[in-house]
Amino acid sequence: MKSSTKLLLDAASVALLALFLWWAQGHLDGYKVQVLNLVAVNAILAISLNLIYGFTGMFSLAHAGFMAIGAYVTAILILPAAQKEMMYILEPMLWPFSVMHAPFFVAVVAGGLAAAFVGLLMALPCLRLGGDYLGIATLGFGEIIRVVFTNMTPVTNGALGLKGIPAYANLGWNYFWCVLTIYVIAKLLSSNFGNTLRAVRDDEVAAKAMGINTFRAKTISFVVGAFFAGVGGSLMGSLITTIDPKMFNFQLTFNILMFVVVGGLGSITGSLVGTLVITVLLEWLRFVEDTIKIGSWEIAGMPGMRMLIFSLLLLFIILYRREGIIGGYEFSWESAARFAKRITRKGARANG
Amino acid sequence: MTFDMIVQHFFNALMLGSLYGLIAIGYTMVYGILRLINFAHGDIFMISTYFVFIAIAGMRLPWIPAVALSIAATALFGVMVDRIAYQPLRNAPRISALISAIGVSFFIENLCLVIFTGVPKPMPRFEPLVRVMSLGGARILPLAVFVPAISFILVGALLWMLYRTKPGLAMRAISRDIETTRLMGVKVDRIIALTFAIGSALAAAAGIMWALRYPQIHPFMGVFPGLKAFIAAVLGGIGSVQGAMIGGLLLGFMEIMLVALFPSLSGYRDAFAFILLILILFYRPTGLMGEKLEDKI
């Protein structure tokens, strides 16, 4: 397929997405719009984790920590000064933070950069560790970030968290960042550097023997992943308008890990599908915790039922489709064209 | 700090540390054999307290049979978790088993939430162990002596089993090389089931003693002790039973002493275990008693 055709198709699908979002904003109810927003933000998080784990093979569990950094930096930058003064009741806010202000886009970039910087600091000591030990160390760093945020009251307002964060993160912004994330990471992976990352994942010792600077490759991948995790956290904070340190515990990291593994490790398409399926499932299952009426019967909603059913579905998926829903498959226009051709040929045969 | 205070903190630390150690053994044995971080282990620890609660409050059993019943039921429960959620994934990528473990963890927590609601239940009191004793000026629960004693007996029995019996030998062989052991005619699945049974039984013992110390049981009570115990297992060098106990004690002492000596740092209590872990991992990447890792070329 010619690259100009592909570019045209890319542009057309982005335009189609924009059209759909414009329609959704006007015609869907607030709840459905919120689910669409969550899908975009979760997709950013899943793809960034997939870069670190699925493509580079680094078992990292620090995502919640990166998200916390992004969310707090952005929130502090977009909250109006007067509101900050009112909210910090335990201890007044420290000076430079109390007057800082930035437009939303700048604030999100700043959140991403802050997370990337912490990622860089973590990479230097952590990436020496391999396998599960890396996972445990990064899990530890994530928790340390959370506890530090709980205790840094003059900056973060401690356990009370931040409320009334301006809700700038609408469908437009979230999908803009989502598409940007997919574009940047797909470009990175299709370049030669992507091959370097896969080489590190498949056999680090061999990669090193081939003259690849594995530490540099791992660090770059880790920092880029941390950047987009920070961006995801930033958007999440502005989307739900309330953040507190408890939100960013290790369960959040596991959720993102679930998106990635259920969709299919090492596939951007897989991360998107996994995110879509799990996010929608988690929201849709809320009905089981409401009171259900069947005829004259009434089944009282039971708290915990939603996650109970969800965990069973998760077990079912992982036991019967262990490579994830998509597996290692990656969407491309070529494969789509081939698929379309096969369908039409079959159709023609059926008709003729 | 007075001498009495030191004695009191010492016993508290010893109790907390040996509880961490008992839970950590479950992680270390399963990881040593299957290379699987059994994230559901903290919830197995939690469910043992509900078994005691049911046996005493529901079935009106006296304490000793209730405890025995709970330990047996928890061991069986651990084996069932392995059968249903981990055994089908033995040859799958390790991450699948990890996600399965996370799924099981969610399942157990929310099952208890649905059945028992989120309201904490009071753990029945066992008077002989929780009546405060005065030792000089220190006020100590008999539990603080009982818990370490039982823990050391259990660990001693486990070590005897591992190094002096046939199943113990099989367990150690499996942790070296599962396929070769299978070829030698060992019924590997049975030994793995035994491992889960022992690990879960020890977690149950720890859970019951934990609930005597902090007498409120709720569906998420296993999360943090589970995580801390896992850290203890890694600290001590995962795969090593002695290491798990040493890691647990180290963590218990550090945690209690941090809060006792520097009360202003108590907000950092939950991060402290991780800081200790990261420091030790950098210094000894496989933990204190861990095996040497070699690059496989």
Side-chain angles (χ1 to χ4, degrees), chain B residues 133-149:
Chain B
M133 249 181 354
S134 292
L135 194 83
R139 293 157 57 78
I140 296 170
L141 298 178
L143 199 63
V145 183
F146 178 77
V147 172

Side-chain angles (χ1 to χ4, degrees), chain A residues 45 153 182 306:
Chain A
L45 295 165
T153 313
I182 295 172
R306 175 174 80 112

Side-chain angles (χ1 to χ4, degrees), chain A residues 290-309:
Chain A
D290 295 333
T291 313
I292 302 169
K293 264 190 194 162
I294 305 171
S296 57
W297 271 31
E298 226 172 66
I299 307 170
M302 275 183 281
M305 204 47 143
R306 175 174 80 112
M307 286 305 285
L308 188 70
I309 296 175

Side-chain angles (χ1 to χ4, degrees), chain A residues 235-278:
Chain A
L235 297 172
M236 187 70 91
S238 174
L239 181 66
I240 57 183
T241 71
T242 306
I243 53 175
D244 66 90
K246 235 196 228 145
M247 210 177 110
F248 299 102
N249 60 11
F250 59 91
Q251 296 256 342
L252 184 62
T253 306
F254 287 155
N255 275 352
I256 301 163
L257 187 65
M258 243 152 51
F259 299 145
V260 176
V261 175
V262 166
L265 268 176
S267 154
I268 294 178
T269 319
S271 290
L272 285 171
V273 173
T275 308
L276 187 72
V277 169
I278 295 191

Side-chain angles (χ1 to χ4, degrees), chain A residues 18-39:
Chain A
L19 202 68
F20 167 72
L21 293 176
W22 176 75
W23 173 83
Q25 189 74 60
H27 291 78
L28 292 180
D29 60 69
Y31 181 60
K32 288 196 182 106
V33 169
Q34 187 73 355
V35 174
L36 279 177
N37 273 319
L38 275 177
V39 168

Side-chain angles (χ1 to χ4, degrees), chain A residues 5 13 17 25 49 66 86 135 145 154 164 208 227 263 273 276 281 289 302:
Chain A
T5 327
S13 48
L17 177 71
Q25 189 74 60
L49 182 64
F66 294 142
M86 246 167 41
I145 291 170
K208 210 180 260 174
F227 175 83
V273 173
L276 187 72
L281 201 66
E289 288 190 8
M302 275 183 281

